[in-house]
Amino acid sequence: MKPFENALRQLNIAAQAINLNSDILKRLSVPDKIITANLPIKKDDGTLQIYEAYRVQYNNARGPYKGGIRFHPQVDIDEVKALSFWMTIKCAVVGIPMGGGKGGVTVDVKTTSDSELEKISRAWVGAFKDLIGPDKDVPAPDVYTNPQTMAWMADEYSKLVGAKKLGVVTGKPLDMGGSQGRGAATAKGGMFVLADLVAKRSWDPKNMSVAVQGLGNVGGGMAKFLFDEGYKVVAVADSKSIIYKEDGLNIDEVLSRKENKQTLNDLPGVKEISLTEFFALPVDVLVPAALENQITLENADSIKAKVILEMGNGPTTPEADKILFAKKVEVIPDVLANAGGVTVSYFEWLQNNEDKYWSEDEVNAKLKEIMIDAWQKTFDIAQEKNVDYRTAAFILAIGRLAEAMSK
Ligand code: GLU
C-alpha cells in the first residue's frame, strides 16, 4: 500500500465526480519537483552517518509550497510525495493562499541525540537552501519535528542568506517569531469540526466514547481536548502500547506519564489490547492521529465507530473508504480535519511578514471561522453529490486549484 498510489486514487475519484479537465488532472497527478540529498553527519561517537533527506514541491499554483518536515525511520520518497500532494489539497480545502510541499529525513529520533538532531536540521537547510524561502517554500514541523527543530532551521537559513528571515519556516517557538496558538492549532481545528458535526446530529459529548491512536502533538492534544469537553476517552495507542479502560481514561494522568517517559500499560484499571481490537472498539468516535494506512481492507469492516476524525495524514485507504461509506460511517478526512495546523502556520507567516503579532484569541477566532467554512462547504458538497466527505473536500480543493492553474 503505497501512500502516493492511494493519494492518486483519491484524486481520480474526485476528478471523475466533477468531470475534471484532463490537463488539470494530469498536472495534479505529478509533483513539480522532487529533490533528494544525502546529509553527512558526525555522530556523537565520532563516526560519520549519511542521512537521506527529501523535499517535494508538489504544486504552487495557489501560493508558496507549504508543508512540514518529517523525521522518521520509514520516511521515503513515495511517502513524502503523498504527503506533499495532501498538503496541496489541504491548503486549497481551507482556502489559504499556499501550495503544497513536504520534506523529510529518514532517521529514528529515539536513537539520535539532540546535538545530532540539531546537525541534521541545519544540514537539511544547507541542502535545500536555494529552494526554500518565505516567498518560495515554507516548511514546518511534522511527525517527530517540533518548534526546536524549526528554531534551528530558521537560524541556519538566516545565517546562510545573511539576513534574518523568520518567515522561512513556521511552527517556531514564540520567542523566535512563532504564533500564539500554533502548538494546539491542529487539534483545535479538528475539535471545531467535530463539535459542529456532533451538534448537527444532536449528539451529546457527555454520552460519547472515543479512541485516539497517536499521542504526539496532535493525538495528545486531541485526547486532552476531548477529555476536557467531557467525551469518555476509553482507549489510546502510542508506538509502545495500546491501552483500554471501559469507564474512561484520565488523560491528564496518561499525558503526564508520557511526558515523564513512564509506561502506560501499568496504569490502574487499564487493559492492554491489540491494534485489531483497538480499531474494532464499540466507540462513537475514532481518531487516527498517527501514520498512513491504518484503516484498510483488513479492518474497515470491523469498525463500529460512527465517526472517524482523521487527525493524521493518510490513515484510510481508498478500499476502506468504500466500505466505510457503505456502512454510513462519517469519515472526516485528513485534508480537512487536520488543516488547523497549516492554517495557523499561514497566520504565523503573515505575522512574520507584517511584523505584527496577534493574540491567542484572535488566532483561535480566525482559525474557527476558516475551519467551519471549509467544513460546511464540504458537508454541502457531500449532500448534493452523495459522495463521502473526502471526495467532497477534494472537489472543493480541486475547483480552487483548477481556477488558480488556469490563470
Ligand atoms: N505537518 C502539518 C501538516 O501535515 C503542518 C504543516 C504546516 O504547518 O505547514 O499539515
Side-chain angles (χ1 to χ4, degrees), residues 48-349:
L48 187 82
Q49 183 153 343
I50 310 282
Y51 292 92
E52 277 173 45
Y54 306 95
R55 186 72 182 168
V56 177
Q57 297 184 324
Y58 204 92
N59 184 292
N60 65 352
R62 304 187 73 257
Y65 301 105
K66 183 87 195 79
I69 300 172
R70 178 172 295 197
F71 283 3
H72 193 277
Q74 272 153 32
V75 162
D76 64 19
I77 197 62
D78 183 85
E79 184 187 45
V80 183
K81 242 161 81 178
L83 292 165
S84 68
F85 168 77
W86 286 321
M87 285 309 304
T88 306
I89 299 292
K90 193 184 298 185
C91 292
V93 168
V94 283
I96 58 173
M98 291 278 169
K102 199 86 177 197
V105 178
T106 315
V107 56
D108 183 358
V109 300
K110 288 178 187 156
T111 55
T112 311
S113 72
D114 281 352
S115 77
E116 291 163 347
L117 288 172
E118 176 171 355
K119 286 185 203 166
I120 293 171
S121 306
R122 290 184 184 276
W124 192 97
V125 172
F128 300 114
K129 64 175 186 307
D130 296 334
L131 296 151
I132 61 172
D135 304 317
K136 290 195 276 188
D137 183 348
V138 185
D142 194 69
V143 174
Y144 290 125
T145 50
N146 53 40
Q148 174 63 75
T149 324
M150 295 305 117
W152 291 325
M153 290 186 162
D155 180 63
E156 187 67 18
Y157 185 80
S158 300
K159 273 187 191 150
L160 290 172
V161 300
K164 197 166 168 184
K165 295 274 180 202
L166 289 175
V168 65
V169 292
T170 58
K172 300 178 293 293
L174 276 181
D175 62 2
M176 265 200 77
S179 174
Q180 296 286 349
R182 175 63 185 86
T186 312
K188 201 158 238 147
M191 287 302 292
F192 289 141
V193 176
L194 179 66
D196 193 83
L197 176 63
V198 166
K200 280 187 167 69
R201 301 282 173 252
S202 308
W203 295 330
D204 178 2
K206 305 255 164 349
N207 299 323
M208 293 175 77
S209 59
V210 192
V212 181
Q213 184 200 26
L215 287 175
N217 173 47
V218 178
M222 278 307 292
K224 172 75 176 134
F225 282 141
L226 289 161
F227 177 69
D228 288 348
E229 292 286 314
Y231 290 84
K232 193 161 75 173
V233 185
V234 295
V236 294
D238 71 0
S239 52
K240 289 196 199 83
S241 43
I242 309 173
I243 55 169
Y244 173 72
K245 192 174 176 200
E246 198 184 339
D247 54 0
L249 294 155
N250 178 335
I251 295 301
D252 290 329
E253 206 169 54
V254 169
L255 293 178
S256 98
R257 282 215 171 199
K258 183 108 183 138
E259 207 173 293
N260 297 318
K261 299 201 166 24
Q262 291 169 301
T263 48
L264 301 180
N265 51 7
D266 51 355
L267 272 165
V270 309
K271 197 172 106 185
E272 259 199 288
I273 57 172
S274 68
L275 197 60
T276 309
E277 290 170 313
F278 176 88
F279 281 114
L281 285 172
V283 289
D284 296 297
V285 185
L286 199 54
V287 182
L291 299 175
E292 302 86 38
N293 292 334
Q294 300 301 305
I295 301 171
T296 66
L297 200 53
E298 311 257 283
N299 61 5
D301 222 12
S302 74
I303 283 174
K304 299 185 186 71
K306 295 193 195 77
V307 176
I308 298 178
L309 185 67
E310 294 186 336
M311 297 306 294
N313 291 310
T316 311
T317 64
E319 294 85 357
D321 264 339
K322 233 172 150 180
I323 297 171
L324 295 168
F325 189 58
K327 278 165 64 103
K328 297 198 163 42
V329 179
E330 299 194 81
V331 180
I332 306 187
D334 47 7
V335 290
L336 168 71
N338 72 31
V342 74
T343 300
V344 177
S345 271
Y346 163 60
F347 296 163
E348 179 176 331
W349 177 82

